[in-house]
Amino acid sequence: MKKYLLFLIGLLALSSTHAQTGSLSGRVYDSVNVKVIPYASISAIRKSDSVLVKHTRSNIQGKFTLNALPADTFIILIAHASFIDFVDEVNMNEKEVKNLGDYNLIQRGSVLRDVIISNKAGIKVKGDTLEFLADSFKVKQGAMVEDLLKVLPGIQVNKKGEITAMGEKVEKVLVDGEEFFGDDPTVATQNIQSKVIDKVQVFDKKSEQAAFTGFDDGQEQKTINLKLKKNMNKGVFGKVELGGGPDDRWQNQGMINSFKNKRQISAYGLMSSNGKTGLGWEDKNKYTGDGPSMQMDEDGGFMWNSFDGEEDGNSWGAQIPEGYTKAWTGGVHFADKWNENKQHINTNYSFGRVNRTKSERSYTENLFPGNTFESIDTSQSFSSRNTHKLTTRYEFNPDTSLAIIYNLNSRVGFTDGETQNTTGNINSNEVPISQRKTINTSTATTARVNNQLTINKKFKKAGRTLSFNSSYNYNKNSGHGDLSGDNAFTIGGTLTHNLIDQKKEDDYLSNVGSADLTYTEPLSKKFLLKTSYGFSSENTESGKKTFVKAAGSSQYTTLIDSLSNVYSLQVISHTAGTELKYNEKKYNVTLGAKVRYSSFDQHDAIRNKQYNYNRVNLFPTLRFNYKFDQFRRITFSYSGSTKQPSITQLQPVQDNTNPINIVVGNPNLKIAYNQNININYFSYQVLSSRSIYAGLMGGNTFNNISSTRILDSLGRTVTSYVNLNGGYNASLWGGINTKLFKSAFEGKLNLNGSFANTPNIINQVKGNTHTVSMTFTPGIAYTKEDKYYFSLDLGTIYTLTKNSLQTSRDIRFFSFAPSASVTYSLPHHFEIGTDADYQYNPPVGPYTNSFSRFIWNGELSYKMLANKNLEWNLSMKDILNQNRGYERNTSINNNTERYFATLGRYWMVGMVWNFNTGPVAKGQNAGPKGPRPGGGRRMRMMR
């Protein structure tokens, strides 16, 4: 009886154990030849005691399943005679059925051809994700994430903190899958210590719609995810930086992070007087609202620019902030997941106050048919901007088939400023034409609120989805100011003065609502159909009013009709579209089109005029993606799009902020239609860290919104807008980054170019402007673990501008902008670093003088404490005191040379303290640890 009882108890125990088991499945893949690997050995080894629990082999399709696995932590070992062993760590819960996806193996022969490189034990590949095991790469004590990225194969970080991975610019850096203070990557890389990082994952992040439906829309962002160590996502860590020097130079900033499992709380603050306005390289757009430094303006002109605030924008230029800036900025970040990860919130608040004083002097050559005159302009200005920004993302996933996502992006800004201008115009014989002296004061308030709600639903049939997306955007600008001055014009040889004393009021209000419904249906294993319908309603009101003082009164009560307008625009659109996608193993093709019907209602309230019209537009799309293998691909896309004229371009009212350069809108403008073609090629070799990329983009425009300018009898330039055909543009880029001679040297060669033809009308004569820009940048870098770092870039720029109005004024020249940087670790924890930028622009055309500038910076630092987390430093900027602001700007009929004041030589003494508590403080210092059993999924390089 006892025997039967014991047998029954054992049977029940066995049954109970079996009931709690789960299963693992996956597929083994050849990452080079893009095919499955049959008969590979897959073993599940219990991590705690290294006991083999389960073993199987992949079938003819490369698939495998490990059944009856109890809840535990396992080491998954995949082995095959022709491939490198692959190790993964997997945690199993009770009754869990887990699909591990594709395991990508690398052939042994490939490793032998490329020679085994040290630290490659810390690299693994899964699908389209490249993953680095952080502890396998040696960095100095107290290093930040940015220092870690610099030693990872295929990743480059320039001195502005911009990151390039496998030849592509990184747009996002996530922390444990969370956005960290929005889209600024350097907030994370420059303020989180490398020793808390377990893995660095590099991948192409698809748009939410594409990730959900599986319907590739061609929108991808190169992304890095910083995976924190399991015992390091609890505790408090951060960085404090203090620095100051003579002549009122100071920079103080700090960040504190409190992480507890999936909850993240962070805060930062900054105050500076040395031109820095935030923690990252996109601060200028966030806090000052200024644009990029090298761009094509609305007239098609090419602006070659070497400053642009905190971000130079050109790899070959120095960072030259314009004017003198004092900034106070800060923000907080919160993210959390709860309810078994079904609910997720990520919110960020930031504020910034930037005060800027500027002084400049410019020389402009104005080209007209058979006529040329020159302008000399000087100005002094002060502006103060206060900005508050709040972003929130909330996601609710009731089950695996339904997702509800809400996004909020809001901003409030307050701006005050005053500008004093003096301008003189002379003709080619140096006879005065006109001159002006004005003072312009302004105060403005801006409020923007963007709301978006997305509901995604998956059905039982794979590939069948339904998405609803709605948004409401509110934008309000309100400002007022005073314009006073003296405008003088030469009439009949006599200088006639015209005094100005006006009050300006500008109001802008926009409400835009939209809703879209998208449905996808798999027609077969290879064909996927997507259909969509969208509705949008846009209501915009713009009021520009100019007042003067009534006779005998000190109040601005008399409205000037010619300088005033109240204008409204309503656009209602219906859009329907369909796309068909064909999928093969190595390629896919998408073909489709959208049709949009839009009705426009414009009302000029002051002149009581109505402009009503309807438009029907067709938007064809064609996308082709081909993957030669996991890291070689080529993409092609063609699309059509429209550009609606802004209400400023439509509003028929003069803007006389600059009384000798007046701008007036045209209510008869049509919608511009653009055709665009984009071709990209990308190749990356993991073991040799060689990346090759190339691209070409081109387009043309029908009804291009161009400008028309007239030089009137008083020497004033009046600019308006017209629709012209004949505009087209193209840009190309390419480069190679590779290890040299299988050493620590890394070489690169980058090429960027642009070409544009812009039609225009000058003094009723139709013409065009051709602009060409080519940038050629060879470079070399050398890194020896945590001892040396050296980089050299030799920037060479070719610029060509042709104007059909005066062919004798074609401008072409080469500019040179080499840069170098060196960092060297000295004994006793000292480190010395220096960098230099040189720029040379030759005399050519209207630019009678050459311009050159050599900026040399240096820094000496000393690290102390046991973990070397306290650093003292002495830095000097612009040692030779050659920093001068300079810009050349060529547009449709203007060639401008501008000099401006900027911050020169200064020095500061500073301190940087990296602090941490909890498990972070107890963690081991970063260093090479090599492969260890169960330390994370990685490749073991074996002969």
Side-chain angles (χ1 to χ4, degrees):
M1 185 67 183
K2 290 182 178 180
K3 291 182 180 180
Y4 290 110
L5 183 60
L6 289 174
F7 175 76
L8 182 59
I9 294 174
L11 186 62
L12 289 174
L14 180 62
S15 175
S16 174
T17 302
H18 180 74
Q20 303 301 317
T21 61
S23 66
L24 288 175
S25 62
R27 186 173 66 161
V28 188
Y29 218 68
D30 183 344
S31 62
V32 176
N33 296 317
V34 193
K35 62 180 183 181
V36 298
I37 303 175
Y39 312 121
S41 170
I42 299 95
S43 303
I45 303 170
R46 191 160 52 220
K47 182 180 178 181
S48 59
D49 53 14
S50 299
V51 171
L52 178 64
V53 178
K54 288 290 179 180
H55 173 268
T56 188
R57 289 187 178 274
S58 58
N59 62 19
I60 195 68
Q61 288 86 28
K63 298 179 180 180
F64 67 88
T65 301
L66 294 167
N67 292 313
L69 286 175
D72 210 328
T73 300
F74 296 94
I75 297 170
I76 305 300
L77 173 64
I78 303 177
H80 191 283
S82 301
F83 296 86
I84 303 167
D85 289 356
F86 209 104
V87 180
D88 187 16
E89 179 182 307
V90 177
N91 295 311
M92 289 293 297
N93 299 320
E94 293 180 356
K95 302 180 182 180
E96 184 175 12
V97 178
K98 183 176 290 188
N99 189 333
L100 301 175
D102 289 345
Y103 280 86
N104 292 276
L105 272 59
I106 293 179
Q107 295 181 1
R108 295 179 186 270
S110 174
V111 176
L112 295 176
R113 287 195 300 270
D114 286 307
V115 180
I116 298 176
I117 303 172
S118 63
N119 287 336
K120 285 300 180 295
I123 303 176
K124 71 124 178 163
V125 181
K126 184 178 181 182
D128 291 330
T129 299
L130 183 64
E131 187 172 88
F132 301 91
L133 185 64
D135 284 350
S136 296
F137 299 88
K138 186 175 181 180
V139 292
K140 56 191 176 185
Q141 286 185 313
M144 311 306 289
V145 168
E146 185 174 272
D147 302 306
L148 172 64
L149 296 179
K150 289 179 179 179
V151 301
L152 299 183
I155 297 181
Q156 296 88 33
V157 183
N158 66 16
K159 63 183 181 182
K160 293 176 290 183
E162 296 173 320
I163 307 165
T164 302
M166 280 66 79
E168 297 177 293
K169 183 177 179 180
V170 173
E171 301 290 345
K172 286 182 178 292
V173 172
L174 310 178
V175 178
D176 268 349
E178 298 282 355
E179 284 198 5
F180 197 68
F181 283 107
D183 294 334
D184 187 353
T186 54
V187 175
T189 60
Q190 294 180 357
N191 294 277
I192 295 179
Q193 299 173 55
S194 65
K195 73 175 184 178
V196 308
I197 304 302
D198 180 27
K199 301 170 185 175
V200 177
Q201 300 168 330
V202 184
F203 57 95
D204 292 316
K205 189 176 188 297
K206 298 182 181 297
S207 68
E208 286 188 354
Q209 184 75 7
F212 171 70
T213 63
F215 212 105
D216 184 16
D217 55 10
Q219 300 179 24
E220 293 182 342
Q221 288 182 313
K222 183 64 73 175
T223 302
I224 287 179
N225 180 42
L226 304 173
K227 189 73 175 175
L228 301 180
K229 295 177 180 177
K230 290 184 179 179
N231 64 331
M232 294 291 186
N233 62 355
K234 299 177 182 179
V236 176
F237 61 95
K239 183 173 75 170
V240 175
E241 181 176 344
L242 304 174
D247 302 322
D248 195 30
R249 293 292 158 253
W250 34 271
Q251 177 182 312
N252 306 310
Q253 68 182 62
M255 169 173 277
I256 183 170
N257 306 279
S258 174
F259 286 7
K260 185 176 181 180
N261 296 324
K262 297 169 184 177
R263 189 214 66 192
Q264 300 177 0
I265 301 176
S266 303
Y268 78 89
L270 169 94
M271 52 186 296
S272 75
S273 65
N274 62 350
K276 188 170 185 179
T277 60
L279 295 180
W281 54 267
E282 289 187 347
D283 307 312
K284 191 172 175 67
N285 288 331
K286 291 188 175 185
Y287 297 114
T288 67
D290 296 334
S293 63
M294 188 176 183
Q295 63 179 357
M296 204 70 66
D297 63 21
E298 65 180 10
D299 299 322
F302 174 73
M303 185 168 69
W304 189 94
N305 180 338
S306 64
F307 70 99
D308 194 34
E310 293 66 51
E311 180 189 1
D312 168 50
N314 308 306
S315 60
W316 36 262
Q319 300 180 59
I320 311 298
E322 181 176 354
Y324 305 98
T325 300
K326 292 184 179 181
W328 300 262
T329 64
V332 293
H333 160 80
F334 175 80
D336 199 6
K337 294 181 179 179
W338 67 96
N339 191 16
E340 298 180 344
N341 295 335
K342 292 181 179 181
Q343 298 187 69
H344 171 209
I345 191 169
N346 185 311
T347 185
N348 300 277
Y349 165 75
S350 61
F351 68 89
R353 179 184 177 188
V354 179
N355 294 342
R356 177 166 294 174
T357 302
K358 297 197 296 184
S359 176
E360 64 180 70
R361 184 176 180 87
S362 64
Y363 305 86
T364 302
E365 178 187 59
N366 302 274
L367 302 177
F368 287 85
N371 188 13
T372 300
F373 70 90
E374 297 181 2
S375 301
I376 301 175
D377 186 277
T378 60
S379 69
Q380 294 80 38
S381 66
F382 171 79
S383 64
S384 178
R385 174 187 289 266
N386 291 271
T387 304
H388 300 264
K389 182 178 180 182
L390 175 66
T391 63
T392 298
R393 175 186 172 90
Y394 171 75
E395 186 170 351
F396 177 44
N397 298 276
D399 53 53
T400 57
S401 68
L402 181 63
I404 302 172
I405 305 167
Y406 171 71
N407 284 285
L408 169 69
N409 191 327
S410 59
R411 179 192 297 233
V412 178
F414 307 91
T415 306
D416 295 285
E418 179 178 309
T419 303
Q420 300 181 20
N421 279 95
T422 300
T423 304
N425 293 331
I426 59 175
N427 62 22
S428 56
N429 298 320
E430 299 186 356
V431 176
I433 301 174
S434 59
Q435 62 184 35
R436 68 147 177 162
K437 293 182 179 179
T438 59
I439 299 176
N440 189 3
T441 64
S442 62
T443 300
T445 301
T446 302
R448 294 206 306 265
V449 181
N450 300 330
N451 298 273
Q452 185 177 34
L453 175 66
T454 302
I455 302 176
N456 293 326
K457 174 64 179 178
K458 290 183 179 180
F459 297 94
K460 289 184 179 181
K461 185 177 181 181
R464 178 180 293 170
T465 66
L466 183 65
S467 299
F468 173 76
N469 185 286
S470 64
S471 65
Y472 171 70
N473 301 327
Y474 172 86
N475 192 344
K476 179 177 176 60
N477 299 325
S478 179
H480 61 85
D482 298 320
L483 176 64
S484 61
D486 179 11
N487 298 312
F489 303 95
T490 301
I491 302 176
T494 302
L495 198 63
T496 302
H497 293 268
N498 179 20
L499 298 179
I500 293 180
D501 185 8
Q502 300 172 349
K503 183 178 181 64
K504 302 281 188 179
E505 292 183 359
D506 290 336
D507 293 289
Y508 174 87
L509 177 63
S510 173
N511 290 276
V512 181
S514 66
D516 301 278
L517 195 63
T518 303
Y519 176 76
T520 63
E521 176 69 24
L523 303 180
S524 66
K525 289 184 178 180
K526 295 185 178 181
F527 283 97
L528 182 66
L529 178 69
K530 180 173 80 171
T531 58
S532 62
Y533 167 76
F535 170 82
S536 67
S537 174
E538 176 182 351
N539 291 276
T540 306
E541 297 179 0
S542 177
K544 292 180 177 291
K545 297 180 181 180
T546 300
F547 299 89
V548 296
K549 294 177 182 177
S553 173
S554 61
Q555 302 297 318
Y556 298 92
T557 56
T558 302
L559 182 70
I560 305 299
D561 288 347
S562 62
L563 301 176
S564 303
N565 196 273
V566 176
Y567 206 79
S568 63
L569 170 67
Q570 184 184 54
V571 184
I572 295 179
S573 299
H574 300 266
T575 306
T578 184
E579 288 184 343
L580 184 65
K581 182 178 180 180
Y582 176 74
N583 277 307
E584 280 287 356
K585 268 188 178 180
K586 289 192 174 184
Y587 69 90
N588 62 74
V589 182
T590 303
L591 178 65
K594 290 184 177 181
V595 178
R596 176 176 297 162
Y597 170 81
S598 302
S599 63
F600 293 79
D601 295 318
Q602 301 168 212
H603 183 227
D604 184 345
I606 289 183
R607 294 161 186 80
N608 195 25
K609 291 186 177 180
Q610 194 83 14
Y611 305 88
N612 299 325
Y613 54 93
N614 302 321
R615 293 286 185 270
V616 177
N617 293 103
L618 177 67
F619 307 101
T621 59
L622 172 63
R623 290 187 297 273
F624 173 77
N625 301 313
Y626 187 89
K627 274 193 174 183
F628 300 92
D629 53 46
Q630 190 170 8
F631 291 107
R632 277 195 308 151
R633 65 177 182 268
I634 187 169
T635 63
F636 169 85
S637 66
Y638 166 82
S639 63
S641 61
T642 58
K643 181 180 179 181
Q644 181 180 313
S646 68
I647 198 166
T648 301
Q649 295 170 328
L650 292 169
Q651 200 166 357
V653 57
Q654 292 185 3
D655 182 353
N656 72 330
T657 305
N658 183 345
I660 61 177
N661 289 286
I662 297 173
V663 179
V664 59
N666 176 11
N668 296 308
L669 285 176
K670 300 177 182 178
I671 299 175
Y673 185 81
N674 305 310
Q675 295 186 102
N676 301 290
I677 293 177
N678 197 325
I679 304 173
N680 281 278
Y681 172 78
F682 173 72
S683 172
Y684 179 67
Q685 293 184 2
V686 177
L687 299 178
S688 61
S689 299
R690 187 183 72 182
S691 61
I692 301 174
Y693 66 95
L696 174 66
M697 182 173 64
N700 66 340
T701 305
F702 299 99
N703 291 325
N704 186 49
I705 301 174
S706 304
S707 63
T708 172
R709 291 179 178 171
I710 295 176
L711 178 65
D712 67 12
S713 59
L714 297 179
R716 299 180 305 176
T717 299
V718 180
T719 302
S720 188
Y721 302 96
V722 293
N723 291 111
L724 295 176
N725 291 325
Y728 52 89
N729 63 83
S731 59
L732 60 91
W733 56 92
I736 180 172
N737 296 267
T738 185
K739 294 289 184 182
L740 299 177
F741 318 115
K742 298 178 181 178
S743 66
F745 283 94
E746 185 171 354
K748 65 179 180 178
L749 183 63
N750 297 318
L751 175 68
N752 292 278
S754 63
F755 171 79
N757 180 75
T758 307
N760 49 71
I761 298 176
I762 306 296
N763 275 4
Q764 299 182 349
V765 176
K766 187 176 180 180
N768 53 68
T769 302
H770 296 274
T771 57
V772 177
S773 170
M774 299 293 295
T775 302
F776 178 74
T777 309
I780 190 172
Y782 175 78
T783 303
K784 185 177 181 181
E785 295 180 341
D786 57 348
K787 296 294 183 182
Y788 312 97
Y789 175 75
F790 166 76
S791 68
L792 174 65
D793 294 313
L794 302 175
T796 302
I797 308 98
Y798 173 73
T799 301
L800 167 66
T801 304
K802 288 186 175 184
N803 197 312
S804 63
L805 299 175
Q806 294 191 14
T807 56
S808 61
R809 233 354 170 196
D810 293 350
I811 302 172
R812 64 187 73 201
F813 61 92
F814 282 93
S815 300
F816 303 97
S819 64
S821 177
V822 179
T823 302
Y824 179 66
S825 295
L826 299 169
H828 308 294
H829 310 297
F830 281 93
E831 185 175 277
I832 188 171
T834 183
D835 61 82
D837 294 271
Y838 177 74
Q839 180 181 331
Y840 174 76
N841 296 336
V844 59
Y847 313 121
T848 56
N849 299 315
S850 64
F851 176 82
S852 63
R853 174 178 58 206
F854 183 75
I855 300 178
W856 178 28
N857 306 314
E859 182 175 7
L860 175 66
S861 63
Y862 169 70
K863 291 186 177 180
M864 56 186 299
L865 300 183
N867 292 325
K868 302 299 175 288
N869 58 332
L870 179 62
E871 175 186 304
W872 297 93
N873 56 66
L874 171 65
S875 62
M876 177 168 282
K877 304 296 184 182
D878 188 21
I879 296 173
L880 303 179
N881 201 27
Q882 291 193 16
N883 193 9
R884 294 171 294 158
Y886 180 75
E887 175 191 63
R888 287 183 181 180
N889 185 356
T890 297
S891 63
I892 60 172
N893 72 321
N894 292 331
N895 299 310
T896 300
E897 191 171 37
R898 191 169 72 97
Y899 298 86
F900 54 88
T902 189
L903 193 60
R905 178 170 55 199
Y906 69 94
W907 61 269
M908 290 198 311
V909 176
M911 179 271 290
V912 179
W913 176 45
N914 292 302
F915 62 90
N916 42 65
T917 65
V920 177
K922 300 175 184 178
Q924 296 179 350
N925 294 328
K929 301 184 187 302
R932 63 189 190 279
R937 186 180 301 180
R938 56 197 177 275
M939 291 181 289
R940 299 197 312 192
M941 296 300 188
M942 303 174 62
R943 292 183 183 275

